[in-house]
Each structure stands twice: as structure tokens, then as C-alpha cells.
Amino acid sequence: MTSFTSPQATKPLDASELTYTYTTDPRDVPDEATAAKSKDTICTDHMIIARWKKDIGWSTPELKPYGPLSLLPTASCLHYAHECFEGLKAYRGDDGKLRLFRPDRNGVRLQMSAERISLPSPPAEELKKLILALLHVDGAKWLPKHRARDFLYIRPTIIGSNSQLGVQAPTEALLYIIVGYMPRLDMMEGGKRLLTSPQDMVRSWVGGFGYAKVGANYGPSVLATQDAASRGFHQVLWLYGAEGECTEAGGSNFFLVWRRKDRKKEMITAPLDDHLILDGITRRSCISLARERLGDELEITERKFTIGEVLEASNENRLLESFAAGTAWFISPISHIRHREHHIDIPMGQGDGPGEITGKMKGWLGDIMYGRTEHEWATIVSEKE
Amino acid sequence: MTSFTSPQATKPLDASELTYTYTTDPRDVPDEATAAKSKDTICTDHMIIARWKKDIGWSTPELKPYGPLSLLPTASCLHYAHECFEGLKAYRGDDGKLRLFRPDRNGVRLQMSAERISLPSPPAEELKKLILALLHVDGAKWLPKHRARDFLYIRPTIIGSNSQLGVQAPTEALLYIIVGYMPRLDMMEGGKRLLTSPQDMVRSWVGGFGYAKVGANYGPSVLATQDAASRGFHQVLWLYGAEGECTEAGGSNFFLVWRRKDRKKEMITAPLDDHLILDGITRRSCISLARERLGDELEITERKFTIGEVLEASNENRLLESFAAGTAWFISPISHIRHREHHIDIPMGQGDGPGEITGKMKGWLGDIMYGRTEHEWATIVSEKE
């Protein structure tokens, strides 16, 4: 398969050219509770936009007041799902500093997603510079230094903006970066409860695009998620194939800690090689930290595993812990899986908190994100005073 | 699976309430050649918009000047592909009248697509009234009576417009209808040439949403289509499953006419029951006309058939004709399929025109669309003088 490549002669995206137009109507900053309750996502004062045209390349990126986009009704993002995005957070540290967590990986993934959906693919390094520039301006105001252990959510987005109703690769596109508040989702009381996907719904498939962060993966999943919610579950555990392979838990990666039949303790998650699931940055980080720090006591395995294996382990009392991992959900303990007529309970930790391994993951990652330990995965944001 | 239903108490879409705000800046009407050459789709002077909110229902629909939509950067259509659409044409008849072809079927399909992608589902009857109202205003100017056998393209669209970055069913949406020009695509010189889909790309899958006219079906298919185009093919013939079932030809339904091994002449196309393909209105109409008018000489079959069967038929000189059927492509003869190392030539008719059955389909449908025969499938548009 050939992938999308910009013609050589067109202008590359250049973050160093960023122009600044500051808002003349700065808004008030909501406290955490107000932000979490808001029906609409509250964004900061500014956003960054860059326009792309196939024959010209990228425009000068602009930092400008947050506000509506103007799109012709024929814009390809409104008809053919020519859209992809990233999600990352800026964490206010215990030391008052603002940090990004592995933003380079988001940049690489956005490129891959953009190529899959025939959109232009901005260099990861330029994307990171633009994110840092936006946080430099809005970070200190919208996440004040005293709000340690709180975060902002950053959403880089690329949409096809050409006005042509024929189904084709967009000849015009818009890259924009917005920053807003997202509720904290890792403290679900009693743990997350998952419902396995219905037999007539499949989220992604071999040869599809389940690995890419494209809009086309999300909207179609909502029907099953709504149904699960109406039945008292937090997310869908998406199964794949006749054997019911466990793939993703809603919009996050699914981890299980169990004793194998040989009594060895194992942390297991679905593999990336068949391109069914998102290559989660939290997922990748969990695997890497576990291998580095828990390799002696824990087997860390990426392989296909089925809901039948989970059921069997449950019946044999071998299930130890489970968690969902992702940027939005962070590390969320899972306490229950409902599969057809089967109720699978999964142990939680003391006082209904995370189990041992889940707690360690959460602690180690949180330490890096909030600057309690120094680590190469954290990038400190320079903020305007 | 529960499907989306509006709460009882909210306001239904009511076409009879349509308000009219006419443009003060009417544009010039391009001739057919200019319209076909335009890089951007040229739309008529007006469009229709209705807004929906989950708790309130539908706003009064408005006919207003064609122009850009204003969407917040957080709008769910820009991130999660909460979008679906329809495509239909208004045909200028030999008698000077403007006709729609089976618009009720588009209405029913839009409802189905909207439900699949968790958007509100407007009643088919109201949608039809709105389309007729827009054509009443713009039809006579934008497709003058003397341009017989020409058409306008109508694109009803629904997008999620709520400003919430959480993945959820949209709580706000926009229905809009635009009318513009599309090039004529049924006269490909020498017939359409198809390339079978690459082994690592699948368009739709059992349990997915290939049957719905949602954006998520289109953008992800462009990469393979571009690759096919760069190799000199017009469209991708999408195969499914280990056996290589023939499903769709690009954005249209795929028909084959062949002699079976028992020498019976058969028109065959993929079935709807596994929900892999779009329930095309042209497809449906071909099957119905063929059953009614050709039932004595032709077996008409909807069943799974594989590229292997097509190859075998080709090797045994049993292939008679093939065509793609859809609103955009109308009835386009297919002359060649390339599958891996196999070159499959398919006979065309006299002078490289459509074959016998293909030509009959095209003729019969055209007669209904352009008013050369009266038929219940045609709806005459009342036009403002």
C-alpha cells in the first residue's frame, strides 16, 4: 500500500514561524468542579491553527483566540470522516511545573493516523513545538501553579477541509490544537464494570483501521457503549473473532493480571501485530515499566487471549487484577466483566482501591507525570509568567 | 441492540414550518462543462438547515443562502465521525420537468444510517418535503428547462455538533441539505477498470457498518482507491473474507451477468443479509426491473460469489457483462478486473458501449428518471417560475 506523502516542493510545517494574536476577551478560569460538570468542553483562551493545501503545503501556523471554525457544507471532514486526532495531557506537578508525558509518541501516532485517512502528516517535532507554544501562553492561567495533581487535556486534530463532494484524498486540510478540561476518570467507585461487545457488533477488524486514531473508529462504537451504559456498565470490552479475543476496553487498552495454569504470575494485554487495537502510549509505558521493574516476579505478555480464557481463569480463581490504560482513563481498575450470562468478578485492592500491580503502575506513571521522580518521558513546559 | 430514539416530548422535524430567507447575492449559473471542471463543488444559491438538541428536539427548518457552517473545534463530527449523508439526483426531463428518483428510499436509508451512528433520525416524509422545497426555489434557475438529460446532485447530511470531547452520542446535531453539480460518471471510455482490494485492506466486515451511509465508510477507503488510481484503475473491487467474496465496486454496487455452469444466463450481485454492502437504490431498482421484465431469459440472484468464481467463469468464457450501479455512477459498464496477477476482461457492447443487459438497465432507469415513461418511482418537483 502506498501511503500519503507531501510532494517535495510544497512548504513544510514550521513551528518557528508561529504568529501570535492574543484574545481581547480573556475568559474566567473555572475551578475543577465547575469544569468537570460543564456539558460542553471548556477550552482555554487560545488555539493554534495551520492550513494545508496539496499544491502549496502548510501555511504559517497561527496562535489565535479560541473560537468557531468556518467550514463549507461540502467540507470532506463532514461527509467522509477525513479526520484524525491525538489526546494528551499537561500535568501540574507537585513542584508547580507543568509537564507533558511522551508527546513525541503522540506526534508519531498522529502521523500514522493522518496517513491512514489520507490527510497530510505534520512532523512530530513541529507538532510538539506548537503544543509547547500554546501551553506557554495558556498553561499558567488555565492550570494555576497551586492546582498540583490536576491536568489540562490537549487535542491536536487534523480535518479535511476541501469543498468537493467526490470521495477522494483531501486537497486541503486544517491542523488545529485546542486545550481544555476533561473530567478525571480513573477513580470509578468500586472499579470499572465492562460489558462484552454484542455478537452483532465488531469495533475493528484485520485489514481495517482499529490501530489508527481516526474518527471512523469512535462514532460507530457509541451505539454499543450507550447500550452498555443503559445496563449499568462503564464501557464495552470489545471482542474479536469467533473465539472472542479481548481487544480494547472502550477507548482504552485492556490489561489483566492473572496466574497462569503453571502458577506463574502474568500481566497480559492484546498484541499490536494484527493492527486491531490502538498502540496506546499508557499501554506501552505500562509494559515497559513492568518489564523494567517487575520482571522478576511477573511475566509480561502481549498476545491474543480470549474471553474463554478469562472465564476459565475466573472459575479457577486465577484472576488477580485488571485495569484499563489510556490517556483519558489513565489507569482505571476493572472490577467486573459481564459476558453473556457470565458474571466475572475481578479482585480489587484494599478498601476497593487498585490492586497491587495496578497501584504500582498508577503510582509510577503518576510520579513521572507530576514530577515526583525525574524521568526522560516527562517534558517540562516553559510557561509565560 | 437498542437504537437511537428521540424522547417522546421533544419537538419533531416539521417541514411545513420552513422559513425562507432568500439570498441577496444570487450567483451565476455555470454551464455543464464549467461545473464538471470545477475543483470545488459548485452549490446552488440556497441550502436548508435544521438544528436538533436532545432535550428540545428539532428547530424550525430554515431555507437560507448557501454558505459556511460555524462549528466549534470540539464539535463531535470533527473528532468521532458522527456524520451520515444521502446522495440523490434531480433529473431534468425531456419534457422540461424536474424529477426525483425514489426519494423515499433515501429518507429511509438516512434514518438507518443516523441510528447506526447515534444521530437523530428525521422522518423520511419530512426530509422529502424539505428537498422538494429547496428544489422548488433553486431548481429552475440552476438546472434550466432547456438542459434536458442533465441533473443536479442533492446531499442531505446530518452531523453531530455538540461541543464535548468525551466520546458519546451527540446531544446536538445539524441536518442540512445542499444541492450542487456532480460530473457525469457513467460514460467511462472503454468501460470501468477495477482493481481488487489489497490483501491488507478490508472495506467493511460482518458486525461493522458497511451497510450504512456514514462517513466512517468512506475516508478509510481512499488510500486503496488512490493506489488503484495511480495504477490506472477507476475503482477498487472490494473483496471480503478468506474466499474473496465480491462486495462493492468503489462507492457503487457490483453486478455481473454470466452464464452459469448449467448454461443458464444469470445476473448476480452481493446479498444484503450480512450487512457488508450498501442497500443501493439503483441496485434495488435494477433487481426489481430485471425480475419484472427479464425474468424469462435471466436468473436474478443475490448471493455471495467470489473472485475465484469470476476467474473461473472468465477462463471458461462464461462472462457476459458487468456494471457498477449507484446514484453517482448511475449504470457504468465494467470492462476489466485486475486481481493479483490475473487480468479479467469482460465483454462490452457494440462500439464499446454497454452490453445488452447493462444497456437495458440504463435505458429503463433513464426513461423513468428523465420522464420518457411514467413510473411510480419518479416524483415530479414543483418549481418556482
Side-chain angles (χ1 to χ4, degrees):
Chain A
M1 199 75 265
T2 56
S3 68
F4 179 95
T5 42
S6 296
Q8 290 289 330
T10 63
K11 193 172 174 311
L13 181 67
D14 184 352
S16 73
E17 290 182 341
L18 183 67
T19 64
Y20 293 81
T21 308
Y22 295 107
T23 183
T24 53
D25 184 24
R27 280 173 286 118
D28 287 342
V29 173
D31 59 34
E32 196 178 347
T34 310
K37 266 188 311 194
S38 173
K39 189 179 82 64
D40 293 338
T41 299
I42 298 175
C43 288
T44 62
D45 284 325
H46 301 94
M47 61 182 180
I48 283 179
I49 287 196
R51 286 165 204 283
W52 174 86
K53 290 190 178 188
K54 190 183 174 195
D55 300 333
I56 297 171
W58 289 97
S59 73
T60 302
E62 306 169 71
L63 181 145
K64 54 185 243 181
Y66 178 82
L69 304 172
S70 174
L71 289 166
L72 279 174
T74 45
S76 64
C77 61
L78 304 179
H79 300 268
Y80 309 126
H82 282 297
E83 56 195 50
C84 61
F85 63 92
E86 271 302 319
L88 62 165
K89 287 175 176 171
Y91 304 89
R92 179 62 72 196
D94 292 353
D95 58 359
K97 289 184 179 148
L98 195 62
R99 285 175 180 80
L100 295 174
F101 181 76
R102 309 187 79 179
D104 307 276
R105 293 235 55 94
N106 295 95
V108 169
R109 195 169 60 187
L110 186 62
Q111 289 188 302
M112 177 276 293
S113 300
E115 285 173 12
R116 182 63 187 84
I117 201 73
S118 304
L119 285 167
S121 165
E125 193 51 38
E126 299 306 305
L127 183 77
K128 181 177 158 183
K129 285 180 193 162
L130 292 176
I131 292 170
L132 288 169
L134 182 53
L135 290 171
H136 178 77
V137 172
D138 278 351
K141 170 176 169 184
W142 289 84
L143 191 61
K145 298 212 164 154
H146 62 83
R147 271 162 73 167
R149 307 196 183 186
D150 201 352
F151 57 81
L152 289 169
Y153 182 82
I154 304 148
R155 171 62 60 99
T157 309
I158 309 176
I159 57 175
S161 55
N162 58 309
S163 306
Q164 231 294 358
L165 288 181
V167 182
Q168 59 175 15
T171 53
E172 297 181 21
L174 217 57
L175 161 70
Y176 63 86
I177 307 169
I178 53 177
V179 177
Y181 296 107
M182 284 276 263
R184 198 175 285 271
L185 298 169
D186 59 329
M187 312 274 208
M188 213 66 84
E189 188 157 336
K192 258 175 120 164
R193 295 164 51 82
L194 306 182
L195 177 66
T196 57
S197 49
Q199 266 159 316
D200 61 352
M201 288 244 173
V202 178
R203 190 195 82 94
S204 87
W205 65 103
V206 174
F209 42 87
Y211 62 99
K213 221 163 167 68
V214 294
N217 273 323
Y218 292 82
S221 76
V222 168
L223 209 54
T225 309
Q226 267 192 299
D227 183 56
S230 75
R231 295 167 61 188
F233 297 89
H234 297 107
Q235 286 288 346
V236 171
L237 176 58
W238 289 100
L239 304 181
Y240 182 75
E243 302 298 312
E245 295 160 30
C246 300
T247 62
E248 287 193 4
S252 54
N253 293 116
F254 175 65
F255 281 82
L256 209 56
V257 184
W258 60 10
R259 275 200 195 283
R260 301 191 316 210
K261 293 202 175 218
D262 66 4
R263 307 305 297 163
K264 178 84 188 160
K265 198 167 161 182
E266 183 180 55
M267 180 170 95
I268 191 167
T269 195
L272 300 177
D273 48 18
D274 53 8
H275 284 178
L276 282 178
I277 66 162
L278 193 75
D279 179 1
I281 295 162
T282 315
R283 172 191 181 280
R284 204 177 252 267
S285 306
C286 286
I287 291 170
S288 157
L289 288 178
R291 287 203 171 123
E292 186 187 305
R293 302 182 188 182
L294 298 170
D296 291 344
E297 49 172 299
L298 194 66
E299 203 78 23
I300 293 111
T301 306
E302 298 169 74
R303 74 156 168 92
K304 289 181 188 177
F305 64 104
T306 67
I307 190 70
E309 290 181 76
V310 179
L311 260 170
E312 190 186 15
S314 172
N315 290 336
E316 295 171 1
N317 286 315
R318 293 188 282 106
L319 288 186
L320 300 175
E321 302 174 37
S322 176
F323 61 92
T327 298
W329 296 90
F330 190 30
I331 304 288
S332 305
I334 294 165
S335 59
H336 189 83
I337 299 169
R338 173 75 179 271
H339 176 62
R340 316 286 181 251
E341 73 279 16
H342 305 287
H343 297 251
I344 307 173
D345 284 314
I346 303 169
M348 297 276 286
Q350 281 199 322
D352 248 11
E356 186 203 337
I357 305 292
T358 309
K360 280 183 176 163
M361 291 298 150
K362 202 167 167 164
W364 288 336
L365 288 171
D367 285 348
I368 298 170
M369 291 161 174
Y370 293 103
R372 291 184 291 263
T373 48
E374 256 185 62
H375 198 283
E376 55 173 10
W377 288 346
T379 297
I380 294 176
V381 179
S382 143
E383 296 175 87
K384 200 155 116 172
E385 288 308 310
Chain B
M1 198 76 267
T2 55
S3 68
F4 180 96
T5 41
S6 296
Q8 290 289 331
T10 63
K11 193 174 171 311
L13 182 67
D14 184 352
S16 74
E17 290 182 343
L18 182 67
T19 64
Y20 293 80
T21 308
Y22 296 107
T23 183
T24 53
D25 183 24
R27 280 174 286 119
D28 287 342
V29 174
D31 59 33
E32 196 177 346
T34 310
K37 267 188 310 196
S38 173
K39 191 179 82 64
D40 294 337
T41 299
I42 299 174
C43 289
T44 63
D45 284 327
H46 300 95
M47 60 183 181
I48 283 179
I49 288 197
R51 287 165 203 282
W52 174 86
K53 291 190 177 188
K54 190 182 174 196
D55 300 333
I56 297 171
W58 289 96
S59 72
T60 301
E62 304 170 73
L63 181 144
K64 54 185 241 179
Y66 178 81
L69 305 172
S70 175
L71 289 166
L72 280 174
T74 46
S76 64
C77 60
L78 304 178
H79 299 268
Y80 308 127
H82 282 297
E83 57 197 49
C84 60
F85 63 92
E86 270 303 318
L88 62 164
K89 287 175 175 171
Y91 304 88
R92 179 62 72 196
D94 293 352
D95 58 0
K97 288 186 179 148
L98 195 62
R99 286 175 180 79
L100 295 174
F101 182 75
R102 310 187 78 180
D104 307 277
R105 294 235 53 94
N106 295 94
V108 169
R109 194 168 62 186
L110 186 63
Q111 289 188 302
M112 178 275 292
S113 300
E115 284 174 12
R116 182 64 187 82
I117 202 72
S118 304
L119 284 168
S121 166
E125 192 52 37
E126 299 307 304
L127 183 76
K128 180 177 160 184
K129 286 180 193 162
L130 292 176
I131 292 171
L132 288 170
L134 182 52
L135 289 171
H136 178 77
V137 171
D138 278 351
K141 171 177 170 184
W142 289 83
L143 191 61
K145 297 212 164 157
H146 62 83
R147 272 163 73 167
R149 306 197 185 185
D150 200 352
F151 56 81
L152 289 169
Y153 181 82
I154 304 148
R155 172 62 60 98
T157 309
I158 310 176
I159 57 175
S161 56
N162 57 308
S163 307
Q164 232 292 1
L165 288 181
V167 182
Q168 59 174 13
T171 53
E172 296 181 22
L174 216 58
L175 160 70
Y176 62 86
I177 306 168
I178 54 177
V179 177
Y181 297 106
M182 284 277 262
R184 198 176 287 268
L185 298 168
D186 59 329
M187 313 274 206
M188 212 67 82
E189 188 157 337
K192 259 175 120 163
R193 295 164 53 81
L194 307 182
L195 177 65
T196 57
S197 50
Q199 265 159 317
D200 62 352
M201 288 244 173
V202 178
R203 190 195 81 94
S204 88
W205 64 103
V206 173
F209 41 86
Y211 62 100
K213 222 163 166 68
V214 295
N217 273 324
Y218 292 83
S221 76
V222 168
L223 210 53
T225 310
Q226 267 192 299
D227 183 57
S230 74
R231 295 167 62 188
F233 297 90
H234 297 106
Q235 285 287 345
V236 171
L237 176 59
W238 290 100
L239 303 181
Y240 182 76
E243 303 297 313
E245 295 160 29
C246 300
T247 62
E248 286 193 6
S252 55
N253 292 115
F254 175 66
F255 282 82
L256 207 57
V257 182
W258 60 11
R259 275 199 195 282
R260 300 191 316 208
K261 295 205 175 215
D262 65 5
R263 306 305 298 164
K264 176 85 189 162
K265 198 167 162 184
E266 182 180 57
M267 181 170 96
I268 190 167
T269 195
L272 301 177
D273 48 18
D274 54 8
H275 284 179
L276 283 179
I277 65 163
L278 192 75
D279 179 0
I281 295 162
T282 314
R283 172 190 180 282
R284 202 178 253 266
S285 306
C286 285
I287 292 171
S288 157
L289 288 178
R291 286 201 172 126
E292 188 186 302
R293 302 182 187 181
L294 297 171
D296 290 343
E297 48 173 298
L298 194 66
E299 201 80 22
I300 292 111
T301 307
E302 298 169 75
R303 74 155 167 93
K304 289 182 190 176
F305 63 103
T306 67
I307 191 69
E309 290 180 77
V310 179
L311 261 171
E312 191 187 13
S314 172
N315 291 335
E316 296 172 0
N317 286 316
R318 292 189 283 106
L319 288 187
L320 301 176
E321 302 175 38
S322 176
F323 61 91
T327 298
W329 296 91
F330 190 32
I331 303 289
S332 305
I334 295 166
S335 59
H336 188 83
I337 300 169
R338 173 76 177 270
H339 176 62
R340 317 286 180 251
E341 73 278 15
H342 306 288
H343 297 251
I344 307 173
D345 284 314
I346 303 170
M348 296 277 286
Q350 280 199 322
D352 247 12
E356 185 202 337
I357 305 292
T358 309
K360 281 184 176 163
M361 291 298 151
K362 203 167 166 165
W364 289 335
L365 288 170
D367 284 348
I368 299 170
M369 290 161 175
Y370 293 103
R372 290 183 291 263
T373 47
E374 254 186 63
H375 198 282
E376 55 174 8
W377 289 346
T379 298
I380 294 176
V381 179
S382 142
E383 296 175 87
K384 201 156 113 171
E385 288 308 311

